[in-house]
């Protein structure tokens, strides 16, 4: 199964949270920081601006930083994804 | 009877919720997850942007994921449908 | 007397509620579902978008489904009508 | 004295409320329905849309139905008028 | 000293309130109606709409009716003025 | 050090409040009226409207009246300035 | 690792707060003024206005003053950055 996001939407896969801190201590769930990094899985056909389609800046495979709490969680074949608008993506990590 | 949605609206039929979990347990109504998947039944004539009609990206027959709780429920000849705006549709499932 | 709605407005006549359920039981007033279906009586001259008049999609005689509670009730010669914007009309019933 | 409304504004004169019901009973003030009908006295030079003046649809002398409670009451030489935007006018009564 | 308002702004001088009612009774301050009439003193260079300057409809010397409580009071050389946007002016009194 | 404001922003220097009233009485701090007059120190490159830069109406050296409480206070080398948008400037004092 | 901000976003590095006041007294954390100055690290591809990309006014290396509390904090390889929109940047310090 494949997700094809609409318009300026982007399907991202949130990166696994680090289970250990820099000092090697294993953190219980609630103490972990909410991750902000994700990988782009699929991108929409573009943003519609004044009747013109404008291609998105991000593309599948990009590592991105996104606004915490934005987007809608979806579960496809047991895997969890987040569908966000491109405007919720702050930067590409290179 | 037929529904022809206006503008950027789309008539969708919400998919039957899974009555069983992966492990085969039958779930009572309240424990079931609110479905997010639906089939597109009919699409409007297009979105009006700056005086130009822009054709919708979804078409009848598409399986889509939509924003929970969006749209208006209508009952036509005993069947329940949801009329949503295309912007409430997040992605097409292929 | 005649009503000529302005711009993107539409005069509709809400359909009589069904006094009986499918099983033939007569329902008291409060148990009846709020009707969502209406007949278009008159349409405005069009929506003004970027200085251009765009003709409305609905026309007099159409049966439509509209958003519950939208619009303004007017009484003309004892008859009750509803003046709504076209954007409050969800779909045409064919 | 004369009022020349600006832009998309319209000066209207609210119609006298009916003092009697259809059955001829004289109603005390508070039981009377708030009138919704008015006569257009003067219209503005037009609505400015994208830098273009678009002439108003209503003209002096039209009988119109307007949104209750909209507009600003002004008193000119003892007479009360209402200055509303054209968008507060729902329909022309013909 | 002179005030040159910016853009779509207009400097107006609120007219002295009538100290007497039509019947000649002198009113104490709090019973007087808030004045709505003013004289235009200076007008801005125009409204910027889609990158084009659109000249204002009012001009210095016009008597106007404006929305009560709108605008900013300024005191220049002991005289009180009101700086309002043209959209706060409802009509020109001729 | 120099401040170059961005876009439609303007750096202004609020004028010293009058320490004395017209009658020559020295006012304690809290009784002084909040000043509304300022001198323009630097102006931004212009307002971006529909993709076109539109030059600002105010220029360095202008005395202006601005909306009280608008803008952001900045301290540069011990001097206090206010960075406001041009739309917070009501009029030029000539 | 590198951050490439999207659209009209800018990555900035907030300047170290002065640990000492002008009189040389070392301030404890809570008494220090929230810094408003920052250095631009990376800029987005431009703002999309009416379907046209408009290049940003700030560039990497610029010292800028930004609106306190705006933007999103991100931590990259132990370093803290702030991702803001260009509209949150008030002025360039030259």
């Amino acid at each position: 199964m494949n997700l094809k996001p609409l318009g300026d939407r982007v399907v991202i896969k949130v990166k696994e949270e680090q289970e250990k801190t820099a000092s090697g201590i294993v953190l219980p769930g609630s103490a972990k920081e909410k991750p902000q990094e994700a990988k782009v899985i699929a991108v929409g056909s573009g943003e519609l601006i004044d009747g013109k389609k404008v291609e998105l800046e991000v593309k599948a495979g990009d590592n991105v930083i996104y606004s915490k709490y934005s987007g809608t969680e979806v579960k496809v074949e047991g895997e969890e994804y987040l569908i966000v608008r491109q405007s919720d993506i702050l930067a590409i990590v290179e």
Side-chain angles (χ1 to χ4, degrees), chain A residues 10-48:
Chain A
V10 176
V11 180
I12 61 178
K13 176 78 187 158
V14 178
K15 298 229 168 146
E16 280 305 309
E17 310 175 48
Q18 294 295 128
E19 302 276 324
K20 292 182 183 180
T21 62
S23 58
I25 300 164
V26 179
L27 288 166
S30 63
K32 288 183 285 189
E33 292 190 321
K34 197 152 171 25
Q36 282 190 290
E37 215 179 319
K39 193 183 193 89
V40 175
I41 302 302
V43 301
S45 58
E47 204 173 351
L48 215 75

Side-chain angles (χ1 to χ4, degrees), chain A residues 53-87:
Chain A
K53 275 271 173 189
V54 178
E55 217 177 300
L56 298 188
E57 275 190 77
V58 295
K59 57 182 189 305
D62 280 353
N63 291 307
V64 296
I65 290 176
Y66 67 98
S67 299
K68 289 189 215 178
Y69 313 119
S70 61
T72 307
E73 290 179 8
V74 293
K75 208 170 189 166
V76 179
E77 291 165 358
E79 285 276 304
E80 282 196 4
Y81 297 99
L82 207 54
I83 302 182
V84 299
R85 293 184 172 271
Q86 193 189 55
S87 59

